[in-house]
Amino acid sequence: MQTRRRTRRTLVALGLVTATLAGTAGAAQAGPADPGTERRQGGHAATQRAMDSLVAGGVPGITGQARDERGAWTGTSGIGNLKTGAPRGAEDRFRIASVTKTFVATVLLQMESEGRLDLDDTVDRHLPGLVRGNGHDGRLMTVRQLLNHTSGVFNYDEDPAYAEKYHFVPGFLKHRYDTRTPEEAVRVALRHAPHHQPGQGWHYSNTNYVLAGLIIEKVGGRTYEREVRDRIVKPLGLKETTLPGNSSRIPQPSSRAYSKMSPDPAATRIYDVTLNNASQSWADGDIISTAADLNRFFGALLGGKLLAPAQLAAMKTTVAAEGAGFRYGLGLIASTTSCGTNLWGHGGGWYGSLTGVYSTEDGRHGLAYNLNGDWYLDQANAISEAEFCGVEPTRAAGKAGASANVLGAPKNR
């Protein structure tokens, strides 16, 4: 019983990783008297120092890119391969986890602008009879509620048996290459009562985006992967962005990914978790990309190049993320830094991978970064604080608790 309680606490904490990655106000406490001075002068030295500080505290390695009116700046720090000592690469590909949700929401909003669905359609209209059981009813929840996590549908990652099988050792080591279908994730979720009734609260649930992916396939008549490629990846020229399906590998160049694979904050053993079957996250978190491609995507999205004005406005219409310290739109997070800069973006965490992507509202100043260790939730926001405010952390990282294997939320996944 104690193990089950600890597992659930870990999964819930992972769900809050997005707020940590977002750089919420008050997170950093030290820096120059005027923390915006360096940023106004166009420098990224504080961002590099924040990355170096995280590595000094125990993060294996970090890669990141910032883009603004002056162009692109790329920074790296630390190790990409603990066995060989190879450094983290500036062009590394990595699993972006829940940042995938922004791609999924964008596709559904494009479909709405084409008249192929409505955000206020019920889930049952597109997936008849699928969401039933233990108080769940797809006739009462909408597509919009899936995308902003107000549907109440249970988060399959919070099922203790599922977590033991896929997210922690020894289960992960045995099942890391298993193919998992979207329908399996839905079945796991429906074993439980909903977190709340549709529209009556907010709870980050990766099941929402599994259902969103299934709706994309039903409406479009094609795979979720093909819709994302044809609507976003190819038009924007995101040449390093891939949707891996049931592959376990990451295209090169890439670094290794490391995790403690445990809900125990005292765990010390580190596992190489680079290889695992991407189908175990699917539309709620399977995309592989680079910092440069992610900045290009968010810049285009917020700059109005992917969505009509009405759909972009809907995406940016937020609800309070209860207990998380940010507001959530449709696959998009709104947060505020300690210096008052309003940011839009998303965070993501998966086995051995923590990713943050944040941008000013006009899309002109963006930051994307990835850590190849997943147990530093309480300090990852230092990078965005440094980039947008010039504020540097007062202490080294590495004191966070359990691994963020599923962050989705959120697993951030």
Side-chain angles (χ1 to χ4, degrees):
M1 181 64 70
Q2 183 177 4
T3 298
R4 284 176 178 267
R5 284 198 300 267
R6 183 189 301 153
T7 298
R8 188 180 187 285
R9 284 198 305 270
T10 299
L11 294 173
V12 171
L14 296 178
L16 299 180
V17 69
T18 306
T20 304
L21 294 176
T24 51
Q29 300 298 326
D34 178 355
T37 299
E38 183 173 285
R39 284 301 312 125
R40 286 196 296 272
Q41 294 173 347
H44 302 278
T47 308
Q48 181 66 58
R49 288 193 294 268
M51 294 165 65
D52 293 341
S53 178
L54 284 162
V55 168
V59 176
I62 304 172
T63 187
Q65 187 205 67
R67 292 175 65 94
D68 58 22
E69 66 277 6
R70 300 168 183 82
W73 170 89
T74 300
T76 63
S77 188
I79 300 298
N81 188 317
L82 294 177
K83 183 177 290 186
T84 67
R88 196 74 209 264
E91 298 180 355
D92 273 358
R93 294 157 172 82
F94 46 82
R95 301 184 193 278
I96 71 172
S98 273
V99 181
T100 298
K101 292 177 171 65
T102 312
F103 287 78
V104 170
T106 300
V107 170
L108 282 172
L109 286 162
Q110 289 179 342
M111 288 180 164
E112 186 194 45
S113 71
E114 297 160 3
R116 306 177 76 177
L117 60 81
D118 190 288
L119 288 177
D120 295 316
D121 287 345
T122 65
V123 172
D124 205 68
R125 176 173 181 175
H126 300 289
L127 303 173
L130 180 63
V131 184
R132 293 280 202 288
N134 286 319
H136 291 91
D137 191 339
R139 295 168 295 186
L140 302 178
M141 61 183 66
T142 67
V143 175
R144 188 190 307 273
Q145 290 168 340
L146 295 180
L147 297 182
N148 67 11
H149 295 294
T150 62
S151 74
V153 66
F154 186 84
N155 182 11
Y156 70 86
D157 279 313
E158 293 183 39
D159 176 85
Y162 186 94
E164 293 291 347
K165 178 178 180 179
Y166 288 110
H167 299 321
F168 304 122
V169 291
F172 169 83
L173 299 177
K174 182 179 180 180
H175 297 286
R176 68 193 296 176
Y177 300 116
D178 291 1
T179 295
R180 189 221 68 191
T181 66
E183 290 77 11
E184 178 185 350
V186 175
R187 287 195 297 270
V188 170
L190 296 181
R191 293 173 190 163
H192 302 265
H195 295 294
H196 54 76
Q197 290 304 303
Q200 300 302 307
W202 186 90
H203 189 98
Y204 195 102
S205 174
N206 287 296
T207 313
N208 283 320
Y209 276 76
V210 174
L211 294 170
L214 290 171
I215 291 173
I216 286 175
E217 295 194 337
K218 188 67 177 290
V219 172
R222 306 189 302 169
T223 65
Y224 135 75
E225 292 89 348
R226 187 170 177 184
E227 291 289 353
V228 172
R229 288 190 194 103
D230 288 352
R231 290 173 174 273
I232 300 174
V233 174
K234 290 180 181 178
L236 294 183
L238 306 182
K239 296 181 180 180
E240 316 306 334
T241 298
T242 58
L243 291 94
N246 62 0
S247 172
S248 298
R249 299 187 175 275
I250 299 179
Q252 296 298 310
S254 64
S255 293
R256 308 302 292 181
Y258 299 100
S259 177
K260 295 183 180 180
M261 297 304 300
S262 173
D264 184 356
T268 57
R269 182 173 178 180
I270 295 175
Y271 295 85
D272 185 322
V273 295
T274 308
L275 303 180
N276 59 88
N277 194 313
S279 70
Q280 294 176 18
S281 54
W282 198 58
D284 62 313
D286 70 346
I287 292 178
I288 295 169
S289 191
T290 63
D293 271 11
L294 291 176
N295 273 330
R296 188 174 299 115
F297 167 54
F298 274 83
L301 175 64
L302 294 168
K305 296 179 181 179
L306 290 173
L307 294 176
Q311 277 67 42
L312 183 57
M315 182 179 240
K316 293 165 68 176
T317 300
T318 62
V319 297
E322 297 164 10
F326 56 83
R327 296 185 65 85
Y328 203 94
L330 306 183
L332 197 62
I333 288 167
S335 62
T336 304
T337 65
S338 63
C339 62
T341 301
N342 294 321
L343 299 178
W344 294 90
H346 214 290
W350 189 234
Y351 306 113
S353 179
L354 294 181
T355 299
V357 191
Y358 302 101
S359 174
T360 52
E361 187 165 15
D362 59 9
R364 294 181 180 179
H365 182 187
L367 170 72
Y369 60 86
N370 174 264
L371 286 64
N372 65 337
D374 65 17
W375 57 95
Y376 299 95
L377 303 188
D378 68 343
Q379 290 291 300
N381 67 320
I383 302 173
S384 57
E385 283 288 314
E387 175 61 27
F388 293 100
C389 298
V391 178
E392 298 174 43
T394 57
R395 58 190 175 91
K399 301 199 178 183
S403 284
N405 323 344
V406 282
L407 298 176
K411 235 179 343 173
N412 201 337
R413 260 179 353 169

